[in-house]
Amino acid sequence: MIAEIGLASLWLAAALAVLQMLSGALALRASNGERSSLAVYARPAAVVQAGLATLAFLMLLYAFAITDLSIKLVASHSHSLKPFLYKLTGTWGNHEGSMLLWVAVLALSGGLLAAAEKRLPERTMHATLAVQGFVALGFYAFLLLSSNPFERLPVPAAEGVGLNPLLQDIGLALHPPTLYIGYVGLSVAFSLAMGALITRQVTPEFARVMRPWVLGAWVFLTLGITAGSYWAYYELGWGGWWFWDPVENASLMPWLAATALLHSVSVLAARDALRTWTIMLGVLAFSMSMLGTFLVRSGVLTSVHAFAVDPERGTFILILLALYIGGALTIFAFRASSVAEGKRFAATSREGALVFNNVMLSAILAIVLLGTLYPLLTEAFDVRVSVGPPYFNPVGAIFAIPMFLVMAVGPLLRWKSDKPDRIKQELAIIGAILVSITVLVAVLGTYGLLPVLGLALAAALAVAAFLPLRGRKLSRVPTAVWGMVLAHFGVAVALFGMASESAFTQEKLAAMSAGDSTSVGEWSITLDSVDPVAGPNWTALEARVSASRGGEPMRLSPQARNFWAPSQATSEAALLTRWDGQLYAVIGDTAGETADGTQRWQIRVWWKPFVTFIWYGGLLIGLGGVLAIIGRVRSDMRRRIATRLGDARRAELEQLEAAKTAENA
Amino acid sequence: MRLAYAIPLAIFLFILGLGGYMLSQPKDDAVPSAMISKPLPEFELPPATEGFAGASREDFVGGEPKLLNIWASWCLPCIAEAPQLEALKEEGVEIIGIAIRDKPEDVAQFLERHGNPYTRIGADEISSLMIEIGASGVPETYVIDGAGNIRYQHIGDIREEHIPLLLAKLGEAR
């Protein structure tokens, strides 16, 4: 029954998406003043659809919780012996389940938009809901026609196949859903942008409606990427935190677009400038998340993270991509010139700095996109290449360095027009830090150019992030400004972690037998023993390693794990976190025997100073975003309450007037 | 309509076309070895099970071209491949096996169940020859000419339709 309820609610939700789309579109076609009788259905259809899609997802979650092996998806991705938590996370650890989660979140946010958003003109709202229904319909079709999660097996399986052991990890319990919420948030921003473009209502009011969605999506993307990077760092056991892998790029590109969108939507809300640019970024952000899905799921690119590859699905996603993004860009090409130009501003102004960084972010996005698609392009001519850090790091830095510099200064500038003279004190502080740190690091050791610049920029940015607070009464600073300060400081922290990791990391690969010692950096490392251990669904060889730098020795236990359902080997790195960095240990293969016949093992150890700051920075950026949302929503509420009170008072006054005139007469 | 506003659409259509074209192309994930048309590396492996001789580079040098077959008793496609190797043996081809990360008793059991096409089987316990020869997986089969050069690499299991091709390659290597 469970599966049938889920499938039925999915079909019903799809039908409602059709209704939402049609009634939204018909309401648009009715000329001004006239009301289409179908228009009333758009909002309720979105709300009910949200309930049905959520119900479908809960049914699948339940089927995974009880390991219902008569459902094909459960049988091929779960196992009765799996820990309960991973049974639940297994729901979205596969293609069908993750698409269902995506659709459920999409329907939920559509419902929220339809139920709660009353500020937009009715026509714009209907256009938005029509686009939203159209987007949702495509994904329902994708699920129901090509990847039905509720398909039954003719004969229930005796036992499940299991979940890829790499995915049996708490990081994975949170990482994909977080990213999906981010992607879906961008789809709402896309629908809003299209609604505004179709009805030519690109106004500051529209920007204020769009902003919390963009901010929310951006926060989730930030946290999702941070979590994903940490997951790859400790689970894959390579000691790296970013590989410029296609799947990682697929999550980075929407983030870059969303970051640009977030800033330009703020300009639109505050100053009524950058109208077409904001619309373009709205389309771009969503198209990047769809393109990412296509690259990851279709298997056209090879990646270490590709867990659900199928060319048939690729075709489906490509068709959806052509419909939505192709359609949106066509409308943009014809309509954008009819959107009136926004307010003008000087080059040295807050807007000027934001536009500059918007362009830089877009350039970095273009570089990442080119690097990701380049292997695909050359493969069309039968040449195999792989594009990696030697391309992305320096080429990205060309645009990232000016961006960081402008980011330090931009928030100090005034809107509309400003003179650099006014902030020369602040400029001097930032410049002094940049020069002194660069010189200091360059004198102390020989490091690459990029890490040195990274360290200097991080220090300058960290100070510059707080400069906008100078001379202001802290208790009166708006929450949203605190959000900006925190997020910019988070960028500095993350940048510091990245630069420090790449400049100061020390690595040691040694063949050791029990009792042997080696050293890395200040740490001395001793292999005490290698023992077999067993977990709920795996066995492993565990190395007991003690590490010390002067004080008490600490124990690290890296494992080489063998899972039996499905059978696969993984490497579990052991991490020792200190405030100033992380010790990272991995056990590899046997390295033969010594002359007297004792077994030797490959032990690989890294000392990574301040590497944890990368993820602390990511968390701070996310937290900054949360503060900004709280601040914006609160001030919106206040404004709404104020207008309502004003309206009530005006009505009262009018009544009094009316009563008076009646009395006089 | 300003032309600049159509640029995003043009870029998008290009990417769309590229994606569509690549999707229609057959995906070939095999990684060809960089060692093709180079001399077989030096190696000397002990016998993989009782009753067999081990394998070394010298066993390929001199005489007719031979096949070097990388396989393992734990590898399922190797079972599918066994009848084809048997057919090649009947054509008079000498096949030298390299058992990857295997146990002597498993090797013996596999040969008993699926037949023995090999004249020699070397045991490669840490995939050392696999790495040196540039093999990306198990099974793989190499044509080695009489001078000890690698002439051709077949990735994956040998199907019935591959036999004429392999025989032709062996003929070319003569």
Side-chain angles (χ1 to χ4, degrees):
Chain A
M1 258 318 263
I2 300 299
E4 284 67 30
I5 294 176
L7 191 59
S9 27
L10 212 51
W11 276 105
L12 280 175
L16 282 172
V18 177
L19 179 64
Q20 179 187 335
M21 185 177 85
L22 289 181
S23 83
L26 287 176
L28 255 187
R29 281 195 53 190
S31 54
N32 277 344
E34 210 178 299
R35 295 207 71 179
S36 161
S37 56
L38 264 173
V40 289
Y41 296 117
R43 283 182 195 253
V47 175
V48 178
Q49 197 194 118
L52 286 169
T54 313
L55 179 67
F57 179 71
L58 290 179
M59 290 297 115
L60 189 65
L61 197 64
Y62 182 72
F64 267 88
I66 61 166
T67 320
D68 182 348
L69 292 168
S70 68
I71 298 175
K72 191 177 166 194
L73 189 68
V74 180
S76 49
H77 292 279
S78 197
H79 193 281
S80 60
L81 287 178
K82 229 164 50 167
F84 184 71
L85 176 69
Y86 297 135
K87 283 186 184 173
L88 291 185
T89 63
T91 314
W92 55 80
N94 56 74
H95 167 74
E96 289 83 352
S98 61
M99 289 315 292
L100 182 57
L101 174 63
W102 160 292
V103 160
V105 182
L106 183 69
L108 265 179
S109 38
L112 188 63
L113 183 75
E117 196 47 70
K118 304 265 152 69
R119 282 172 288 175
L120 281 180
E122 213 39 23
R123 272 174 63 81
T124 309
M125 194 63 202
H126 276 127
T128 304
L129 285 176
V131 174
Q132 223 270 340
F134 184 43
V135 171
L137 185 63
F139 285 96
Y140 288 125
F142 184 27
L143 261 182
L144 290 167
L145 303 180
S146 98
S147 27
N148 174 11
F150 295 106
E151 192 179 336
R152 292 270 192 190
L153 287 171
V155 181
E159 186 48 276
V161 178
L163 172 69
N164 187 332
L166 279 174
L167 305 183
Q168 294 191 28
D169 181 274
I170 186 68
L172 193 91
L174 306 170
H175 162 59
T178 319
L179 276 181
Y180 286 163
I181 295 172
Y183 289 158
V184 169
L186 291 181
S187 87
V188 176
F190 169 80
S191 305
L192 280 166
M194 291 317 293
L197 182 63
I198 292 170
T199 55
R200 296 190 182 89
Q201 292 291 325
V202 189
T203 59
E205 187 65 358
F206 146 77
R208 262 179 239 124
V209 172
M210 188 172 171
R211 180 158 56 188
W213 291 98
V214 177
L215 264 172
W218 179 79
V219 167
F220 277 104
L221 283 179
T222 307
L223 296 179
I225 294 173
T226 307
S229 152
Y230 193 66
W231 171 78
Y233 170 74
Y234 76 78
E235 184 72 24
L236 294 180
W238 301 340
W241 56 274
W242 193 265
F243 304 99
W244 294 110
D245 175 274
V247 173
E248 293 173 339
N249 294 347
S251 70
L252 181 66
M253 290 187 291
W255 184 84
L256 288 168
T259 312
L261 175 60
L262 160 70
H263 289 95
S264 89
V265 88
S266 288
V267 174
L268 182 56
R271 294 277 312 140
D272 197 10
L274 303 184
R275 289 180 179 170
T276 43
W277 182 243
T278 304
I279 298 290
M280 183 63 233
L281 284 176
V283 175
L284 186 69
F286 181 55
S287 64
M288 283 303 137
S289 61
M290 276 202 71
L291 184 70
T293 314
F294 168 70
L295 291 179
V296 173
R297 293 293 165 87
S298 65
V300 291
L301 289 173
T302 318
S303 154
V304 289
H305 300 266
F307 293 107
V309 161
D310 183 345
E312 192 181 311
R313 290 168 193 159
T315 314
F316 216 112
I317 302 174
L318 201 68
I319 293 171
L320 291 184
L321 198 67
L323 276 177
Y324 298 147
I325 308 306
L329 289 175
T330 310
I331 295 179
F332 182 83
F334 286 101
R335 271 282 159 100
S337 44
S338 71
V339 172
E341 196 187 348
K343 294 240 168 62
R344 298 192 157 256
F345 49 84
T348 46
S349 65
R350 182 86 67 90
E351 294 101 312
L354 280 165
V355 166
F356 181 82
N357 273 2
N358 250 305
V359 173
M360 291 299 114
L361 277 169
S362 310
I364 297 173
L365 171 61
I367 278 163
V368 177
L369 183 64
L370 181 65
T372 311
L373 290 181
Y374 191 71
L376 204 60
L377 192 62
T378 61
E379 214 170 300
F381 300 98
D382 270 334
V383 182
R384 291 261 183 106
V385 295
S386 71
V387 183
Y391 161 76
F392 288 107
N393 290 344
V395 182
I398 293 174
F399 297 97
I401 291 167
M403 181 184 78
F404 286 133
L405 288 174
V406 172
M407 182 182 147
V409 180
L412 303 170
L413 293 168
R414 288 196 178 136
W415 291 112
K416 202 167 171 191
S417 163
D418 202 353
K419 290 198 183 67
D421 268 3
R422 197 181 59 78
I423 53 163
K424 47 176 191 242
Q425 221 178 342
E426 284 92 341
L427 287 178
I429 297 175
I430 295 170
I433 297 173
L434 268 178
V435 173
S436 53
I437 299 280
T438 313
V439 171
L440 192 69
V441 179
V443 166
L444 285 181
T446 44
Y447 304 107
L449 175 67
L450 288 184
V452 173
L453 286 178
L455 288 170
L457 279 169
L461 268 181
V463 175
F466 291 98
L467 286 181
L469 299 176
R470 221 168 71 119
R472 287 173 89 155
K473 206 168 163 203
L474 289 188
S475 57
R476 305 212 42 181
V477 172
T479 321
V481 173
W482 278 113
M484 178 197 76
V485 168
L486 203 60
H488 284 186
F489 181 65
V491 172
V493 171
L495 185 62
F496 171 65
M498 294 170 198
S500 165
E501 197 264 352
S502 94
F504 308 128
T505 293
Q506 282 166 311
E507 180 185 352
K508 182 58 98 29
L509 173 63
M512 302 168 85
S513 42
D516 284 357
S517 288
T518 182
S519 70
V520 55
E522 294 175 341
W523 293 84
S524 67
I525 312 285
T526 310
L527 178 64
D528 297 331
S529 63
V530 176
D531 306 296
V533 290
N537 52 353
W538 48 264
T539 54
L541 278 174
E542 184 177 278
R544 310 268 156 83
V545 177
S546 9
S548 75
R549 50 172 179 185
E552 273 290 289
M554 308 284 170
R555 168 55 61 77
L556 284 104
S557 312
Q559 296 177 340
R561 269 190 203 174
N562 279 297
F563 285 78
W564 63 69
S567 116
Q568 190 175 344
T570 68
S571 172
E572 301 287 315
L575 298 172
L576 183 65
T577 309
R578 287 285 160 272
W579 70 272
D580 60 343
Q582 246 174 359
L583 200 62
Y584 186 116
V586 178
I587 175 171
D589 280 336
T590 59
E593 293 174 356
T594 52
D596 56 351
T598 29
Q599 185 72 291
R600 294 201 306 168
W601 307 90
Q602 287 173 10
I603 304 287
R604 195 170 204 146
V605 191
W606 286 269
W607 169 242
K608 293 171 170 292
F610 299 109
V611 65
T612 42
F613 279 53
I614 298 173
W615 304 292
Y616 294 151
L619 291 179
L620 280 176
I621 298 172
L623 193 63
V626 171
L627 278 187
I629 298 178
I630 294 174
R632 296 299 182 198
V633 169
R634 251 205 342 224
S635 60
D636 273 352
M637 288 290 189
R638 232 177 275 146
R639 191 175 303 136
R640 235 186 277 185
I641 290 169
T643 10
R644 203 186 307 145
L645 284 180
D647 286 349
R649 197 161 305 152
R650 212 166 300 130
E652 231 168 74
L653 274 176
E654 269 165 24
Q655 264 182 1
L656 272 176
E657 294 275 324
K660 243 183 230 165
T661 21
E663 235 168 69
N664 289 349
Chain B
M1 177 184 159
R2 260 168 57 188
L3 212 57
Y5 290 133
I7 293 173
L9 183 64
I11 297 174
F12 173 75
L13 288 178
F14 173 71
I15 294 176
L16 196 69
L18 181 66
Y21 173 71
M22 287 315 287
L23 212 54
S24 68
Q25 296 304 104
K27 181 79 184 166
D28 180 15
D29 273 328
V31 184
S33 169
M35 295 296 291
I36 294 168
S37 77
K38 291 191 179 142
L40 189 63
E42 281 296 338
F43 69 98
E44 185 150 12
L45 296 172
T49 187
E50 267 176 51
F52 278 89
S56 69
R57 182 175 194 275
E58 279 64 52
D59 300 327
F60 289 92
V61 181
E64 289 289 292
K66 301 179 183 69
L67 287 182
L68 187 158
N69 178 239
I70 284 177
W71 68 288
S73 68
W74 44 261
C75 136
L76 291 176
C78 298
I79 298 175
E81 187 182 60
Q84 271 62 256
L85 290 178
E86 204 64 46
L88 281 163
K89 178 189 169 191
E90 259 149 48
E91 294 284 337
V93 181
E94 185 178 348
I95 307 170
I96 297 181
I98 306 291
I100 304 297
R101 294 177 183 253
D102 227 326
K103 297 196 188 83
E105 56 271 27
D106 292 345
V107 170
Q109 200 181 23
F110 183 96
L111 296 177
E112 196 177 308
R113 201 172 292 170
H114 305 290
N116 166 37
Y118 306 109
T119 54
R120 302 164 159 269
I121 307 178
D124 187 358
E125 288 200 14
I126 53 172
S127 305
S128 59
L129 180 64
M130 261 186 94
I131 291 170
E132 282 195 49
I133 206 171
S136 58
V138 182
E140 274 190 20
T141 307
Y142 294 79
V143 174
I144 315 286
D145 67 16
N149 294 317
I150 303 173
R151 296 294 286 266
Y152 178 73
Q153 175 194 27
H154 179 90
I155 296 175
D157 54 321
I158 300 170
R159 309 258 165 91
E160 229 177 316
E161 63 266 26
H162 298 138
I163 292 181
L165 177 71
L166 279 170
L167 287 174
K169 291 286 174 189
L170 282 163
E172 278 171 34
R174 195 163 283 147

